């Protein structure tokens, strides 16, 4: 975006959105396998609809991960989201499991081979993007950051019993006005949230407005801000009972809200040999450290891979005219501070751990690193190495 003055919109969806239910279930099973064996291979898709959960995909992992444990993980995920409704209930929804062994043709391209000195290859071809900017403290674009926060705070209140009127399914949309390239006010805020049968529109409006006021920066909501809360006037039937869900359909919600390019690959349901996931995490990690190091105010990074090939085919950096260093030189420095092979990424960021279920809603980026290694791609430990490479 080269314009100085404009409006931009991003949306988020809650953990109870049908697609996010699927992401959560898929990642719960990824974690189940990685907890049993950190070198498990997992590629899982989930579909949900009225009182039905269907899982398909391919895996290679220990026999200790039984079909019973997989079903238990799926039902637990649904229970923790909060679905105990007639049309979708964690306990009595029909569960179907169609997982099977990973293709040997894929395995031979991905696995390392000591005899031939072949390193671990990428699990597929593709392009991945990373992005960071100075619009928010976690170096995320402001529209997606605040769209996530509104829903996340609403969900926390629902789980603690503060807002029993709300159901698990919700969506938000935040439109911000930019002046001189910086966000300055909210033009429009849209929130649709599932609610109980007898809850009035006035009460839902009151609840939602309170969370928007709490989350948005002071002064950004004014008399001219347009608010749309449950625009249809009623949202009782929601979640998988109201609409089918599938893993991987919210890739823009998961990343930068449309403020940066996307390579097209989803994250959830995949182990870290799948570069759709791990290389996108690495690209965010590098872009964030570039901005945090003061080398640019805005950074877009692209990396590409071929299936079975270890090293990336290309690395491209765009600093959008905000950089203090030549982009070609920065590309060379980034290759020096991090090994971008699938093995290098996995080991550097500690990705072979059961850390993925927590990523399945409210964005994979812009989160605080956990004590046990989750969201490691949000660390800022490459700031000094990058500066050293560029001096």
């Amino acid at each position: 975006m080269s314009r100085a003055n404009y409006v931009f919109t991003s949306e988020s969806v809650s953990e109870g959105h049908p697609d996010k239910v699927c992401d959560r279930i898929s990642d719960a099973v990824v974690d189940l396998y990685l907890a049993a064996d950190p070198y498990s291979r997992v590629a899982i898709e989930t579909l949900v609809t009225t009182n039905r959960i269907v899982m398909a995909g391919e895996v290679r992992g220990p026999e200790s991960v039984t079909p019973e444990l997989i079903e238990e993980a799926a039902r637990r995920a649904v229970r923790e989201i909060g679905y105990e409704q007639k049309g979708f209930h964690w306990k009595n929804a029909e569960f179907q499991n169609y997982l099977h062994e990973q293709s040997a043709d894929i395995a031979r391209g991905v696995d390392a081979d000591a005899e031939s000195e072949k390193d671990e290859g990428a699990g597929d071809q593709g392009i991945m993007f990373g992005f960071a900017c100075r619009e928010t403290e976690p170096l995320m674009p402001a529209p997606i950051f605040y769209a996530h926060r509104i829903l996340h705070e609403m969900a926390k209140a629902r789980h603690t019993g503060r807002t029993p009127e709300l159901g698990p399914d919700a969506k938000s949309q935040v439109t911000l006005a930019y002046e001189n390239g910086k966000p300055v006010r909210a033009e429009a805020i849209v929130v649709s949230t599932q609610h109980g049968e007898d809850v009035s529109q006035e009460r839902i409006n009151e609840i939602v407005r309170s969370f928007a006021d709490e989350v948005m920066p002071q002064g950004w909501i004014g008399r001219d801000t347009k608010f749309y809360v449950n625009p249809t006037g009623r949202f009782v039937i929601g979640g998988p009972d109201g609409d089918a869900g599938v893993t991987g359909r919210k890739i823009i919600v998961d990343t930068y809200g449309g403020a940066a390019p996307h390579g097209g690959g989803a994250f959830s349901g995949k182990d870290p040999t799948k570069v759709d996931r791990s290389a996108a995490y690495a690209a965010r990690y590098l872009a964030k450290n570039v901005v945090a190091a003061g080398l640019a105010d805005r950074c877009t990074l692209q990396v590409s891979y071929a299936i079975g090939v270890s090293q990336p085919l290309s690395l491209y950096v765009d600093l959008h005219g905000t950089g203090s260093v030549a982009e070609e030189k920065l590309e060379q420095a980034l290759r020096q501070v991090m090994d971008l092979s699938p093995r290098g990424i996995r080991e550097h960021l500690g990705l072979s751990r059961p850390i993925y279920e927590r990523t399945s809603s409210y964005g994979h980026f812009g989160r605080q690193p956990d004590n046990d290694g989750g969201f490691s791609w949000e660390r800022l430990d490459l700031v000094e190495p990058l500066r050293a490479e560029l001096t």
Side-chain angles (χ1 to χ4, degrees), residues 272 277-278 280-286 288-289 338 344-353 355-356 358-359 364-382:
R277 181 169 221 160
S278 55
Y281 289 174
R284 161 63 179 173
Y285 175 58
L286 294 176
K288 184 176 183 181
N289 276 268
M338 186 176 183
I345 293 170
R346 181 168 51 77
E347 293 179 351
H348 188 111
L349 295 177
L351 299 182
S352 298
R353 290 178 284 184
I355 56 174
Y356 297 107
R358 71 197 76 171
T359 70
H364 291 246
F365 306 134
R367 311 277 287 272
Q368 284 294 318
D370 293 339
N371 292 332
D372 63 350
F375 300 102
S376 57
W377 48 94
E378 294 294 319
R379 297 189 316 236
L380 294 175
D381 53 356
L382 288 186

Side-chain angles (χ1 to χ4, degrees), residues 147-348:
H148 282 323
R149 282 204 61 201
I150 289 171
L151 293 187
H152 202 182
E153 293 304 315
M154 287 172 58
K156 287 193 285 187
R158 176 175 62 84
H159 284 298
T160 60
R162 236 177 83 204
T163 54
E165 302 95 333
L166 302 184
D169 194 358
K171 295 177 113 176
S172 66
Q173 190 168 280
V174 173
T175 300
L176 299 183
Y178 284 71
E179 294 179 359
N180 297 318
K182 296 181 180 180
V184 294
R185 66 180 177 275
E187 288 282 304
I189 296 175
V190 183
V191 177
S192 294
T193 179
Q194 189 181 13
H195 57 83
E197 184 79 39
D198 300 321
V199 184
S200 69
Q201 174 72 8
E202 291 74 20
R203 175 56 180 155
I204 297 299
N205 189 72
E206 177 188 342
I207 292 171
V208 169
R209 286 291 298 261
S210 71
F211 284 105
D213 289 337
E214 175 186 325
V215 163
M216 299 300 293
Q218 189 172 5
W220 281 26
I221 296 177
R223 288 184 304 172
D224 295 331
T225 302
K226 300 178 182 68
F227 261 97
Y228 300 93
V229 178
N230 282 12
T232 66
R234 180 178 170 86
F235 188 2
V236 174
I237 300 172
D241 190 31
D243 192 8
V246 181
T247 301
R249 287 204 300 193
K250 289 293 176 282
I251 59 177
I252 300 302
V253 172
D254 284 345
T255 53
Y256 307 103
H262 195 295
F267 300 158
S268 290
K270 298 176 181 177
D271 74 75
T273 67
K274 278 67 172 178
V275 285
D276 277 340
R277 181 169 221 160
S278 55
Y281 289 174
R284 161 63 179 173
Y285 175 58
L286 294 176
K288 184 176 183 181
N289 276 268
V290 166
V291 174
L295 303 174
D297 291 334
R298 191 179 188 92
C299 176
T300 299
L301 188 150
Q302 186 208 58
V303 63
S304 68
Y305 292 85
I307 188 168
V309 178
S310 176
Q311 289 298 321
L313 305 183
S314 65
L315 175 64
Y316 165 79
V317 175
D318 183 358
L319 301 181
H320 304 274
T322 69
S324 60
V325 62
E327 285 147 338
E328 296 86 351
K329 189 175 181 182
L330 180 56
E331 288 165 0
Q332 295 171 5
L334 291 171
R335 286 183 180 269
Q336 294 301 312
V337 298
M338 186 176 183
D339 176 4
L340 289 172
S341 69
R343 181 199 295 274
I345 293 170
R346 181 168 51 77
E347 293 179 351
H348 188 111

Side-chain angles (χ1 to χ4, degrees), residues 23-73:
D23 287 347
R24 173 80 178 262
I25 292 170
S26 296
D27 276 337
V29 178
V30 170
D31 284 352
L32 186 66
Y33 271 99
L34 292 179
D37 178 359
Y39 300 103
S40 294
R41 300 287 185 258
V42 189
I44 292 174
E45 311 294 337
T46 303
L47 177 146
V48 295
T49 185
T50 301
N51 242 14
R52 188 181 297 266
I53 303 167
V54 182
M55 183 173 290
E58 55 180 34
V59 297
R60 190 180 72 198
E63 293 182 358
S64 60
V65 181
T66 63
E68 291 76 18
L69 288 176
I70 291 170
E71 180 175 349
E72 182 181 303

Side-chain angles (χ1 to χ4, degrees), residues 81-202:
I81 291 169
Y83 277 112
E84 295 186 341
Q85 300 167 2
K86 180 181 179 182
F88 193 69
H89 197 297
W90 67 269
K91 192 172 185 179
N92 56 32
E94 182 179 345
F95 181 81
Q96 295 170 276
N97 180 349
Y98 298 103
L99 297 180
H100 59 81
E101 282 290 312
Q102 183 188 53
S103 160
D105 292 343
I106 293 176
R108 72 190 298 268
V110 175
D111 292 348
D113 187 336
E115 287 188 18
S116 64
E117 298 184 346
K118 175 188 174 297
D119 197 5
E120 184 178 292
D124 203 350
Q125 70 177 47
I127 57 175
M128 299 84 208
F129 287 90
F131 182 75
C133 64
R134 294 197 182 279
E135 294 179 14
T136 60
E137 185 177 349
L139 306 182
M140 286 288 288
I144 188 66
F145 177 73
Y146 291 113
H148 282 323
R149 282 204 61 201
I150 289 171
L151 293 187
H152 202 182
E153 293 304 315
M154 287 172 58
K156 287 193 285 187
R158 176 175 62 84
H159 284 298
T160 60
R162 236 177 83 204
T163 54
E165 302 95 333
L166 302 184
D169 194 358
K171 295 177 113 176
S172 66
Q173 190 168 280
V174 173
T175 300
L176 299 183
Y178 284 71
E179 294 179 359
N180 297 318
K182 296 181 180 180
V184 294
R185 66 180 177 275
E187 288 282 304
I189 296 175
V190 183
V191 177
S192 294
T193 179
Q194 189 181 13
H195 57 83
E197 184 79 39
D198 300 321
V199 184
S200 69
Q201 174 72 8
E202 291 74 20

